[in-house]
Amino acid sequence: DSPEIKLENRDPDIVVRFGIVENSLSKVCSQIFSGFLPKVGNFLISNGNEVIVEPLPDVDERTLRPCILGSAMSVILQQRGFLVLHASAVLMQGEAIAFLGTSGAGKSTTASAFMKQGYSVITDDVLAIQFKDGIPIVIPSYPFIKLLPDAVAALGHDVETFPLLNRTTTKRMQTFENSSLQDTYPLGKIYFLAISDRHEVQDCSSTEVLLNLVNHSRALNALTDPDSKKHHFQQCSEIVKFIPFSILHRKPGLDELSVIVKQVEADIIR
């Protein structure tokens, strides 16, 4: 029998198992999605509750785990109706403050810098948003942050105390305690991260906001039918109506992370 991940004494919310992924099933509809992750293997994700993994030879659990918690979970959440953004978020004044950007923009490093200053990290890299009575709500994710070695050192940590994420990357894994977090938090603000020649918080237009939300959504390749694409665009449009946005300019390099935290603090208070 294929191994399954189950919760003791109750039916599993999500089943993850090994199996054969048929290419003919690729992108049949929004509730059935198959894809290939380079150096990892094939994935079939269906109905918001099942992940079938066909790993490449010699791919171990340590390599699979972040792929399941990241890319596969993004599709699962999307199939359940969430808007899933490529963003990290921290807790400030009872609200989720999110940092959106491309890979390498500093989402995880920014979240870790806030955690060093005593803030709780709600999620790293996968920001899942649901709408309750029209209000965007964020749910916490698995408690770890992926950091490059230079970011770990810049934050004042010993690199060797942070385990490698897996053997295919130099990224390290910073774990943290989030048992004190609630089930959900209202989304308070989103910052778009931009590498610049200055540290500055800048206003942006609604058109810029909408384009950034659409372009920085996770699992866009899982939106395979017109209804799903329409629903995704409507969700992004709703976020624009209710949530303030700014561009958070930051200088390249990691020497002034505390300055970024202070700028966001001042902006939130303002």
Side-chain angles (χ1 to χ4, degrees):
D1 292 340
S2 299
E4 296 183 353
I5 299 175
K6 290 189 176 182
L7 299 177
E8 188 177 356
N9 298 327
R10 62 173 176 166
D11 292 334
D13 185 54
I14 299 173
V15 174
V16 181
R17 62 185 177 88
F18 295 114
I20 303 299
V21 176
E22 298 290 345
N23 290 332
S24 60
L25 292 174
S26 181
K27 302 179 183 179
V28 174
C29 67
S30 62
Q31 292 298 309
I32 302 176
F33 175 80
S34 68
F36 174 74
L37 279 179
K39 300 181 181 180
V40 179
N42 293 301
F43 288 77
L44 176 62
I45 305 166
S46 57
N47 302 315
N49 60 22
E50 183 178 44
V51 180
I52 301 175
V53 186
E54 183 182 6
L56 295 174
D58 300 325
V59 171
D60 58 15
E61 178 186 348
R62 192 170 178 179
T63 300
L64 286 175
R65 184 178 296 273
C67 299
I68 293 169
L69 294 173
S71 299
M73 190 58 64
S74 297
V75 178
I76 286 283
L77 290 164
Q78 192 182 85
Q79 290 177 345
R80 293 186 177 193
F82 287 82
L83 172 63
V84 189
L85 300 179
H86 199 194
S88 299
V90 300
L91 180 62
M92 297 183 70
Q93 299 183 358
E95 296 182 324
I97 305 301
F99 304 99
L100 185 76
T102 58
S103 295
K107 299 181 297 296
S108 300
T109 302
T110 301
S112 186
F114 273 85
M115 185 166 65
K116 186 178 180 181
Q117 299 300 322
Y119 294 96
S120 296
V121 174
I122 297 174
T123 185
D124 176 47
D125 205 42
V126 178
L127 180 69
I129 301 169
Q130 61 183 158
F131 294 84
K132 291 185 177 180
D133 299 323
I135 299 173
I137 302 294
V138 173
I139 59 171
S141 69
Y142 192 80
F144 75 90
I145 300 175
K146 297 175 289 185
L147 296 169
L148 288 168
D150 58 346
V152 174
L155 289 162
H157 304 295
D158 182 355
V159 175
E160 296 305 317
T161 63
F162 285 21
L164 280 169
L165 185 64
N166 58 58
R167 64 184 183 181
T168 67
T169 181
T170 61
K171 285 188 175 181
R172 302 280 173 157
M173 183 169 62
Q174 180 182 19
T175 58
F176 56 90
E177 177 64 42
N178 70 353
S179 59
S180 61
L181 292 179
Q182 301 173 14
D183 292 335
T184 61
Y185 289 95
L187 180 61
K189 183 165 185 174
I190 294 179
Y191 292 91
F192 299 123
L193 297 182
I195 303 299
S196 183
D197 59 354
R198 65 196 187 279
H199 296 309
E200 182 185 13
V201 176
Q202 178 187 17
D203 293 335
C204 52
S205 68
S206 57
T207 301
E208 288 178 298
V209 171
L210 186 56
L211 286 173
N212 272 293
L213 286 176
V214 172
N215 292 332
H216 293 93
S217 298
R218 291 206 56 148
L220 280 174
N221 57 344
L223 298 172
T224 56
D225 59 88
D227 287 342
S228 295
K229 294 176 182 178
K230 179 180 178 181
H231 179 62
H232 173 255
F233 187 81
Q234 288 173 338
Q235 287 179 314
C236 291
S237 299
E238 287 299 305
I239 294 286
V240 176
K241 293 179 184 177
F242 288 101
I243 302 301
F245 296 82
S246 292
I247 301 172
L248 179 57
H249 294 276
R250 56 179 292 264
K251 295 179 182 179
L254 301 166
D255 297 332
E256 300 178 355
L257 291 172
S258 61
V259 175
I260 297 171
V261 174
K262 291 178 181 177
Q263 283 192 314
V264 172
E265 289 174 331
D267 183 61
I268 294 296
I269 293 173
R270 177 175 64 86

